[in-house]
Amino acid sequence: MDDVVVGPLDLAARVDDALAVQALAFGLSAEETGIRRHIVLRHLTSPGARALGATTDSGRLVGFVYGMPNDRTHWWSTVVEPYLRAAGNEAWLDDSFVITELHVHPAYQKLGIGRRLITTITDSATEPRSILSAIDTESPARGLYRSLGYADLARRVLFPSAAMPYAVMGAPLPLLRRP
């Protein structure tokens, strides 16, 4: 397998490559991918939004992460806020860096690429903590997040178009590293 380098990604220029990875990793249809394309491009106009990619020697994008400082007026925040408030964790919406998406091609999973992507992007955050949402099931992704210091802030969060409930997780920055 090729060596994989994690570094800055011009996500607007490579949005289709990134969404191809997300579609494979997350099982998205062509229609869902098209909708997400518009969402990603809109997110990239947010102040402080940035992205990293995991690229092979041949230039193939095999993973990506992007995020931004949280803004309570953004759609995601308005959906999760009542759940966080009910759990006594609403303050996490302030001074947090949101991991908006993190996906690794299935053939490249379990190689530490997701860990490198999320720790690298949060290491450059000026906020004291990070938040994200993940499908509310025991999964390798949730295990990764827990190993980095993320803890559940709210569970059974329902997004309007999602079939499964999500968990909102938060961690102080910098994220934990393996001993």
Side-chain angles (χ1 to χ4, degrees):
M1 195 167 291
D2 291 338
D3 284 335
V4 175
V5 175
V6 169
L9 173 67
D10 181 350
L11 186 53
R14 299 210 54 192
V15 66
D16 294 322
D17 295 337
L19 288 173
V21 170
Q22 184 176 1
L24 280 172
F26 216 56
L28 299 178
S29 69
E31 181 182 353
E32 290 169 315
T33 302
I35 292 167
R36 288 180 185 243
R37 185 178 200 281
H38 295 290
I39 293 168
V40 170
L41 293 174
R42 186 180 70 242
H43 283 160
L44 294 177
T45 65
S46 296
R50 56 190 179 282
L52 296 174
T55 311
T56 65
D57 293 338
S58 62
R60 178 180 178 204
L61 187 67
V62 297
F64 75 100
V65 63
Y66 81 93
M68 65 197 82
N70 192 52
D71 181 333
R72 282 181 175 253
T73 66
H74 288 167
W75 176 83
W76 182 86
S77 286
T78 65
V79 173
V80 304
E81 186 271 335
Y83 295 92
L84 290 171
R85 185 177 353 98
N89 290 319
E90 181 184 1
W92 277 83
L93 291 173
D94 301 316
D95 297 320
S96 290
F97 185 81
V98 180
I99 300 299
T100 309
E101 299 288 350
L102 170 62
H103 298 286
V104 177
H105 188 287
Y108 288 81
Q109 291 176 1
K110 298 187 182 359
L111 300 174
I113 295 168
R115 178 178 299 276
R116 286 188 348 216
L117 285 165
I118 194 170
T119 56
T120 303
I121 200 166
T122 57
D123 280 351
S124 65
T126 58
E127 297 76 16
R129 54 193 174 190
S130 173
I131 55 176
L132 56 79
S133 55
I135 293 175
D136 194 0
T137 186
E138 292 311 309
S139 65
R142 297 254 299 171
L144 168 65
Y145 301 144
R146 281 193 194 96
S147 75
L148 294 165
Y150 285 90
D152 291 342
L153 302 174
R155 307 246 347 244
R156 303 229 144 300
V157 175
L158 301 174
F159 288 99
S161 61
M164 298 180 69
Y166 278 68
V168 176
M169 302 178 79
L173 295 178
L175 296 176
L176 297 176
R177 300 307 203 265
R178 288 184 173 155

